[in-house]
Amino acid sequence: MDINTQKKAPLYEALQKFRKQRVVPFDVPGHKRGRGNHELVELLGEKCVGLDVNSMKPLDNLCHPVSVILEAEQLAADAFGAGHAFFMVGGTTSAVQSMIWSVCKAGDKIILPRNVHKSVINALVLCGAVPAYVNPDVDKKIGIALGMELSQVENAIKENPDAVAILVNNPTYYGIASDLKAIVKLAHAHGMKVLADEAHGTHFYFGEDLPVSAMAAGADIAAVSMHKSGGSLTQSSLLLTNKNVRWEYVAQIINLTQTTSASYLLMSSLDISRRNLALRGKESFGKVMKMAEYARNEINEIGGYYAYGRELNNGSSVFDYDVTKLSVYTRDIGLAGIEVYDLLRDEYDIQIEFGDIGNILAYISIGDRIQDIERLVGALADIKRLYSKDNAKMLSMEYIPPIVSATPRDAFYADKEMLPIEQTAGRICSEFVMCYPPGIPILSPGEMITDEIIEYINYAKAKGCSMQGTEDPYIEKLNVLK
């Protein structure tokens, strides 16, 4: 990475130059720099609305970049150690799906862990690829799915030698990383591509003493959520391809679904954030790691909570741990993670990333301050003192291995009927059921519904998890195959 070159932000600079020209707009968007929508200007500010412009020659076009967007993408590729980088304005969902569609066609097999984001399964529904799941081990104490062990991947390859790719979470939502380098070596030896979902791994490219990044590990394609730990605007992401990948074909796949009216607010935020990370990322993420470690120690001092970290490392299912993640097990104080989540927001004006049945995740990033950490720690101590209760009747499980009976695509489009959830045990689900966040399906199309899953869904609803994915907005009925 050339630091001097990384000081440039070509797309942002082109926007600034354009703004000074005072061009008369007879193109879209129709608000015409905000003149047609004064409430929008009041909400977002004149400068922001004035930069909400359309593609034009001086500002390039995301669907076929040839000037400032192309240069900005090349700088991103250099900063991330990639062969090519694509600006994505449909969130990391669009990056994940384009990544899968670039290597998978209808009927192709892809090896992947079951604890993937819903965007992965959605991609399989749309393209018709067939999942070969690696069911990860589960930490019996905290109930979460761990990473993919190399032996599990080896078995999956033996059972599915015709698979075209392996997808790896790098890391999981909770911060757990698999042995990505070894998985890449194994996959490539069998002629398979490696895809990395790095929605929560942007900082791996710039921080020190963190799990290995996908590009450094030799993975073929990676979807990177710049708007999470990278500091860009929500919905802006990157898709990275390594030097051995034909990026021109990937560009065609992206353009099958990507908007032709890409937001310059999102794209310029990617350009500015890339520059910020390239110039200051090492220092910034060093501070994030220190804040997270401080918070972990302070929370564990409270007692009752368990803020976990690198002590989980076992060299296999937890090959490494992302210490910037502040994941906290709450069940020992008699509260589900979602209950702590609600209390923090409703009683203490603290918004964390998510709460599930047994854990919470507080996302710590380059924008946090130590006083915010102290306020969170104080609130958790308060919650334990005021709201803790007996945990004897609490559900302990978090991840339930699925029984796969049909492909996601076949099940999603099959003839179906809607039944009350209590009557669905033993039937094949034809839709998704998930808590969001984190957006990891409890049920995916093609999986058998069991009494254990029904109990889990009802428990999560009762505790206040935000459920989605079903046609029935109240999650009282499920679509099942006839």
Side-chain angles (χ1 to χ4, degrees):
M1 180 172 65
D2 185 339
I3 290 296
N4 288 324
T5 305
Q6 288 293 327
K7 291 177 181 176
K8 295 191 292 184
L11 181 54
Y12 166 71
E13 291 158 9
L15 272 174
Q16 292 289 73
K17 181 180 177 182
F18 173 79
R19 189 167 173 272
K20 292 174 183 175
Q21 290 176 320
R22 306 178 73 85
V23 173
V24 179
F26 282 102
D27 62 348
V28 295
H31 61 68
K32 300 296 175 80
R33 316 292 188 264
R35 292 197 299 270
N37 192 338
H38 296 299
E39 287 180 336
L40 194 64
V41 178
E42 288 176 15
L43 176 66
L44 300 177
E46 202 170 305
K47 189 171 183 179
C48 179
V49 177
L51 293 177
D52 181 37
V53 294
N54 192 30
S55 297
M56 60 187 76
K57 279 190 175 181
L59 297 179
D60 210 355
N61 189 306
L62 185 61
C63 293
H64 189 81
V66 295
S67 60
V68 290
I69 294 176
L70 179 60
E71 188 182 352
E73 288 182 334
Q74 288 169 338
L75 285 168
D78 181 44
F80 283 80
H84 197 86
F86 295 95
F87 282 6
M88 306 296 291
V89 294
T92 311
T93 288
S94 67
V96 165
Q97 293 179 342
S98 295
M99 173 171 74
I100 291 170
W101 297 333
S102 293
V103 299
C104 292
K105 300 186 291 294
D108 285 345
K109 285 184 184 176
I110 178 171
I111 296 168
L112 67 162
R114 176 54 180 74
N115 57 321
V116 290
H117 188 262
K118 68 172 185 175
S119 59
V120 175
I121 314 295
N122 285 342
L124 305 186
V125 169
L126 291 170
C127 78
V130 179
Y133 289 126
V134 173
N135 279 315
D137 290 343
V138 176
D139 186 291
K140 291 178 182 176
K141 163 73 174 172
I142 52 183
I144 65 170
L146 305 177
M148 289 198 292
E149 290 191 40
L150 195 60
S151 60
Q152 294 172 330
V153 178
E154 285 176 328
N155 289 336
I157 290 173
K158 285 177 185 175
E159 292 170 8
N160 303 277
D162 53 342
V164 299
I166 300 174
L167 185 139
V168 185
N169 293 319
N170 196 47
T172 69
Y173 219 135
Y174 301 91
I176 291 163
S178 302
D179 188 354
L180 187 55
K181 275 188 180 178
I183 291 172
V184 168
K185 186 178 178 181
L186 181 65
H188 286 173
H190 287 83
M192 300 177 186
K193 300 289 187 188
V194 176
L195 313 178
D197 181 348
E198 291 189 311
H200 301 279
T202 306
H203 46 294
F204 291 1
Y205 290 88
F206 302 97
E208 287 188 321
D209 196 27
L210 288 168
V212 68
S213 70
M215 292 296 104
D220 298 281
I221 314 178
V224 178
S225 259
M226 276 287 278
H227 68 92
K228 290 186 172 74
S229 60
S232 65
L233 288 177
T234 294
Q235 205 175 306
S236 59
S237 293
L238 294 175
L239 184 62
L240 306 177
T241 60
N242 228 321
K243 297 174 176 65
N244 61 321
V245 174
R246 189 156 55 96
W247 67 265
E248 296 90 343
Y249 175 70
V250 178
Q252 288 187 308
I253 295 295
I254 290 169
N255 282 333
L256 290 175
T257 54
Q258 176 131 279
T259 177
T260 55
S261 303
S263 166
Y264 278 86
L265 298 173
L266 298 182
M267 290 190 289
S268 60
S269 82
L270 284 169
D271 200 21
I272 294 167
S273 299
R274 179 271 314 156
R275 180 173 67 178
N276 182 45
L277 295 183
L279 300 181
R280 293 173 283 275
K282 181 179 173 182
E283 177 189 355
S284 297
F285 291 124
K287 291 178 181 176
V288 171
M289 291 166 71
K290 286 179 182 176
M291 282 192 289
E293 203 58 49
Y294 171 75
R296 231 184 314 277
N297 292 334
E298 291 293 305
I299 291 168
N300 285 331
E301 282 290 317
I302 296 170
Y305 297 106
Y306 174 36
Y308 38 97
R310 278 211 167 116
E311 72 280 356
L312 295 180
N313 288 8
N314 57 25
S316 54
S317 57
V318 187
F319 184 78
D320 204 352
Y321 188 80
D322 174 12
V323 292
T324 72
K325 295 286 185 295
L326 184 57
S327 300
V328 184
Y329 179 67
T330 64
R331 190 174 168 274
D332 284 347
I333 66 166
L335 294 175
I338 187 62
E339 293 175 305
V340 176
Y341 171 101
D342 287 338
L343 286 166
L344 284 168
R345 184 194 60 240
D346 297 341
E347 303 298 327
Y348 298 91
D349 294 329
I350 295 172
Q351 180 63 56
I352 58 171
E353 176 68 9
F354 79 85
D356 56 32
I357 285 180
N359 301 268
I360 59 171
L361 173 64
Y363 214 95
I364 299 178
S365 77
I366 56 178
D368 283 304
R369 306 168 299 172
I370 198 68
Q371 56 262 47
D372 300 323
I373 301 291
E374 288 169 347
R375 183 171 166 188
L376 172 63
V377 172
L380 288 174
D382 227 25
I383 287 170
K384 182 200 170 188
R385 180 173 58 85
L386 295 172
Y387 300 99
S388 60
K389 51 191 177 185
D390 180 36
N391 67 1
K393 295 182 180 179
M394 295 186 72
L395 201 64
S396 60
M397 62 195 176
E398 192 69 58
Y399 171 78
I400 304 171
I403 301 169
V404 180
S405 303
T407 68
R409 185 180 200 173
D410 287 347
F412 188 84
Y413 291 113
D415 290 337
K416 62 197 76 173
E417 61 180 333
M418 188 178 283
L419 296 176
I421 192 169
E422 289 76 15
Q423 297 176 23
T424 60
R427 303 293 292 270
I428 309 304
C429 190
S430 69
E431 59 186 349
F432 291 91
V433 185
M434 72 198 81
C435 300
Y436 198 90
I440 299 166
I442 300 165
L443 276 171
S444 287
E447 295 175 0
M448 182 177 288
I449 304 165
T450 63
D451 289 329
E452 186 181 31
I453 288 171
I454 293 170
E455 180 189 14
Y456 183 100
I457 292 170
N458 287 331
Y459 185 84
K461 282 168 55 181
K463 289 296 183 183
C465 287
S466 176
M467 309 287 287
Q468 60 173 251
T470 56
E471 187 178 337
D472 173 19
Y474 304 105
I475 331 289
E476 293 171 351
K477 299 177 181 179
L478 293 179
N479 275 317
V480 296
L481 270 61
K482 283 188 175 179

